[in-house]
Amino acid sequence: MIRDIQEEILRLKKENDVCILAHSYQAREIAEVADFVGDSYQLSVMAERAPQSTVIMCGVRFMAETVKILSPQKKVFLANPIAGCPMAEQMDKDLIGMWKQANPDYTVVAYINTTAELKTICDVCVTSSSAVKIVKNLDTDKIVFIPDCNLGAYVAEQVPEKEIKLLQGGCPIHAAVSVKDVEQAKAAHPDALLLVHPECVPAVAAKADYIGSTSGIMEFAKKSDAKQFIIGTEISIAEHLQYDCPDKEFYILSKKLICPNMKSTTLVDVLRVLRGQGGEEITMDEETRLAAKHCIDEMIRLG
Ligand code: 13P
Ligand code: SF4
């Protein structure tokens, strides 16, 4: 059954000149039909390079918006319209606009997990894999980092020479993991290395052997000589790693690490988009797109 749907997807995407992009939090059966699977930074680069005229994003809304911002000539679909990122909705243009007015000498660094509308008034975007490098490369010392105060705290620790203000926001999935979860996982798997995403709270990140983006975690685990790993990010990463590295063992840090938004996309959703029966086409007025593009271009220039 799954194989039949996958074969139909592969046939239709070739016939209709469609590129399927999947974030690494997507399920295995979706990753198998994708042209490219990666973290949010890699997806934005691949979207621009993809020669196809249509892109289907299997991920969350801000990722599909990023594709549209970079490739306005392409038709871009979000495979399941309910797939949003709650963190991206936490801060809006009005709130940050007021903050900027009160603090005009600060550069606004926005995690890519923000809406296109909010990006229009930010100075530069970052992803979890590029945040430290970009903040170091900025020719300013006064920064406000939005919306994730946990990723922001990690960046502030790595770049102590700059003043980095944090606003209260973050990923509800990663932030739910506690030090107690870490202690339980380490007690159950004492020989395993702990790899965590910087969206986890600082007290959890402080216990990690490695902190990095989804692709950073996967790369570290694949290259490492260690044989056991506790994975502190969405559970799909542990599943993909176990599939790719059958000689190693991967454990999830906590059962709380399931992103319902990332998991809302199914193979049938992808098939429905290809049949013209589902998904949501992303549209954006040109003024918003160009203003939002500025901070993504800065991300690519400085990253
Ligand atoms: P990455 O930048 O590591 O892909 O993370 C995106 C995300 O939403 C993590 O929760
Ligand atoms: Fe957003 Fe968190 Fe889900 Fe990533 S894991 S998409 S940051 S809610």
Side-chain angles (χ1 to χ4, degrees):
M1 177 70 177
I2 287 184
R3 198 64 222 145
D4 292 343
I5 300 175
Q6 286 181 320
E7 273 166 19
E8 181 66 352
I9 289 173
L10 293 175
R11 189 185 70 77
L12 285 172
K13 79 165 181 170
K14 198 167 168 202
E15 199 172 287
N16 298 324
D17 194 32
V18 176
C19 169
I20 298 177
L21 297 178
H23 187 265
S24 13
Y25 288 168
Q26 296 292 300
R28 184 98 217 142
E29 68 259 26
I30 291 181
E32 281 170 351
V33 294
D35 294 86
F36 185 78
V37 183
D39 68 14
S40 50
Y41 179 74
Q42 294 168 329
L43 290 178
S44 58
V45 173
M46 288 313 289
E48 211 176 3
R49 286 194 197 149
Q52 292 90 340
S53 55
T54 300
V55 173
I56 299 177
M57 173 59 74
C58 303
V60 290
R61 182 169 295 273
F62 77 82
M63 295 175 178
E65 283 186 350
T66 305
V67 178
K68 190 67 189 175
I69 290 167
L70 291 172
S71 307
Q73 75 288 2
K74 291 179 186 165
K75 264 182 178 285
V76 180
F77 291 90
L78 177 61
N80 185 335
I82 68 161
C85 167
M87 165 160 40
E89 307 291 333
Q90 283 165 352
M91 289 176 197
D92 63 13
K93 196 177 164 187
D94 291 345
L95 176 84
I96 300 305
M98 278 186 322
W99 198 95
K100 275 179 69 161
Q101 258 184 357
N103 303 274
D105 47 344
Y106 281 79
T107 296
V108 182
V109 177
Y111 194 16
I112 199 160
N113 299 39
T114 39
T115 62
E117 203 196 26
L118 177 52
K119 285 186 179 84
T120 62
I121 58 159
C122 297
D123 297 301
V124 59
C125 264
V126 298
T127 62
S128 54
S129 57
S130 61
V132 170
K133 186 175 177 195
I134 290 175
V135 169
K136 274 188 183 161
N137 284 347
L138 280 173
D139 60 0
T140 169
D141 286 347
K142 293 180 108 178
I143 287 156
V144 59
F145 191 99
I146 61 165
D148 188 351
C149 64
N150 296 318
L151 175 61
Y154 171 70
V155 174
E157 200 182 283
Q158 304 296 311
V159 194
E161 63 277 18
K162 301 206 176 189
E163 182 198 331
I164 302 180
K165 276 198 186 299
L166 306 173
L167 302 188
Q168 206 56 41
C171 166
I173 312 300
H174 286 82
V177 178
S178 65
V179 172
K180 197 170 164 210
D181 294 321
V182 173
E183 286 164 358
Q184 283 173 351
K186 283 194 168 198
H189 310 291
D191 297 329
L193 294 183
L194 174 65
L195 320 183
V196 310
H197 197 280
E199 288 176 11
C200 291
V201 297
V204 166
K207 301 211 172 282
D209 297 290
Y210 173 81
I211 304 172
S213 71
T214 49
S215 54
I217 288 175
M218 292 183 81
E219 214 173 299
F220 181 95
K222 285 178 185 176
K223 284 191 183 150
S224 170
D225 290 334
K227 291 286 176 208
Q228 294 183 26
F229 305 87
I230 300 165
I231 304 298
T233 191
E234 220 276 346
I235 60 162
S236 284
I237 299 299
E239 286 170 14
H240 294 318
L241 280 169
Q242 193 60 74
Y243 190 88
D244 293 346
C245 314
D247 57 325
K248 298 182 176 181
E249 285 168 30
F250 298 92
Y251 309 104
I252 55 172
L253 170 56
S254 160
K255 286 182 185 159
K256 289 176 245 175
L257 282 165
I258 299 176
C259 176
N261 283 280
M262 281 285 185
K263 289 284 175 285
S264 64
T265 301
T266 65
L267 264 187
V268 174
D269 290 330
V270 182
L271 183 60
R272 280 170 49 79
V273 183
L274 286 163
R275 285 180 172 166
Q277 296 166 341
E280 178 184 327
E281 183 173 356
I282 303 294
T283 55
M284 205 175 288
D285 64 77
E286 193 59 3
E287 199 187 341
T288 303
R289 190 188 72 79
L290 287 174
K293 187 172 183 292
H294 167 74
C295 66
I296 297 178
D297 287 344
E298 281 298 278
M299 170 180 90
I300 293 170
R301 185 178 71 83
L302 295 163

